[in-house]
Amino acid sequence: MRFSQDNVDDLLNAWPSLRRVPSMRADATVLEGRLEFVLEPPGFPRIEDCYSVRIEVPLGPTDSVPEVFETGRRIHRDADHHVNPNGALCLGSPWRVQQLLGRPVSLVALVERCVVPFLYAATWRAQGNNEYPFAELPHGRAGLLDDYSSILGVERSAAVLQALGALARRRREANKLPCPCGCRVRLGRCRYRFVLDKLRQGMTRSSFRRIRDQFRLEYPTERPR
């Protein structure tokens, strides 16, 4: 994955209320401003609102996704409101956000598919609704497992780790491993291999290795069978 100043320019053209701001980070471009949105999801009311935000975009080749911060102090900075310990909005697992960014990556897609729905949900809750409107996953460790299980089509954390391990290997090597779906045959003999083949189209083996290693940090006692 690679972000460039062209990606930043596209975002500024789409959202002119954002602007570049000076930053001590040499490896990123920082944007600040206001995001005004109008959204009416199916089955939910129309909401018009505006939030002050800061977006930090890593430049060049990276496995990191941009971080978005709500700077107007309207959203409580805690896990219940899906805000990470560093104050960044939890827009989803890094892998899920990468999928939503598209290929080639688009910062406009980040704002439209991730940030605006997050802000809609924040306003929805501030209006007195206890639940989130879009059936959001749990925040943190539990949500990570749920999200990766959904992407990979397996349930247990050990199976998730096993599938990520297969994605981190060459296809020929991975097909000799036991299938993560639990069918007790080699991956190369199971239709589940087509699920992994489709996922391979969007990312490199090194990216999957990093995702696997990050997931293993969250589930250190689980090991693939």
Side-chain angles (χ1 to χ4, degrees):
M1 186 168 58
R2 175 189 292 268
F3 296 100
S4 68
Q5 292 296 348
D6 288 340
N7 297 129
V8 176
D9 289 340
D10 289 341
L11 179 60
L12 293 175
N13 289 332
W15 297 85
S17 56
L18 298 174
R19 66 188 186 283
R20 289 182 175 88
V21 297
S23 170
M24 298 296 291
R25 294 189 57 180
D27 62 340
T29 289
V30 179
L31 309 175
E32 289 186 355
R34 297 173 66 81
L35 285 182
E36 299 182 20
F37 68 88
V38 179
L39 190 61
E40 188 175 357
F44 291 94
R46 173 189 174 98
I47 288 180
E48 299 183 35
D49 210 337
C50 181
Y51 284 81
S52 297
V53 299
R54 183 174 80 256
I55 304 175
E56 299 184 0
V57 182
L59 297 177
T62 179
D63 286 307
S64 300
V65 298
E67 289 190 306
V68 182
F69 302 81
E70 189 270 318
T71 58
R73 298 279 180 175
R74 291 180 56 189
I75 301 175
H76 293 288
R77 297 187 177 185
D78 55 37
D80 181 56
H81 292 82
H82 288 223
V83 177
N84 294 321
N86 68 345
L89 307 182
C90 180
L91 303 174
S93 71
W95 190 4
R96 179 70 72 179
V97 173
Q98 286 186 39
Q99 289 185 322
L100 294 173
L101 282 170
R103 191 175 178 90
V105 296
S106 167
L107 293 175
V108 177
L110 172 76
V111 171
E112 293 178 349
R113 299 176 184 176
C114 300
V115 181
V116 168
F118 185 102
L119 298 178
Y120 178 99
T123 300
W124 165 264
R125 287 198 72 188
Q127 291 175 348
N129 299 287
N130 292 328
E131 301 297 328
Y132 279 98
F134 306 129
E136 280 83 353
L137 295 171
H139 180 74
R141 185 175 184 265
L144 185 69
L145 175 59
D146 287 350
D147 202 20
Y148 285 9
S149 295
S150 174
I151 294 172
L152 291 164
V154 295
E155 295 183 359
R156 297 176 297 108
S157 56
V160 169
L161 188 57
Q162 190 174 1
L164 290 173
L167 289 167
R169 293 171 177 256
R170 296 181 185 275
R171 185 182 286 105
R172 182 179 300 177
E173 297 174 358
N175 284 343
K176 298 177 183 178
L177 300 173
C179 185
C181 80
C183 65
R184 298 189 179 184
V185 302
R186 289 189 307 168
L187 175 60
R189 292 187 175 183
C190 180
R191 293 187 60 83
Y192 183 71
R193 70 185 187 277
F194 298 122
V195 174
L196 299 188
D197 285 345
K198 186 175 181 179
L199 292 171
R200 286 189 179 101
Q201 297 173 13
M203 296 176 64
T204 63
R205 290 195 304 274
S206 62
S207 295
F208 284 121
R209 281 194 290 270
R210 292 186 182 92
I211 291 173
R212 177 201 61 193
D213 293 344
Q214 291 167 357
F215 185 83
R216 184 175 286 162
L217 289 175
E218 295 294 335
Y219 290 86
T221 62
E222 298 284 0
R223 289 294 181 268
R225 295 180 181 179

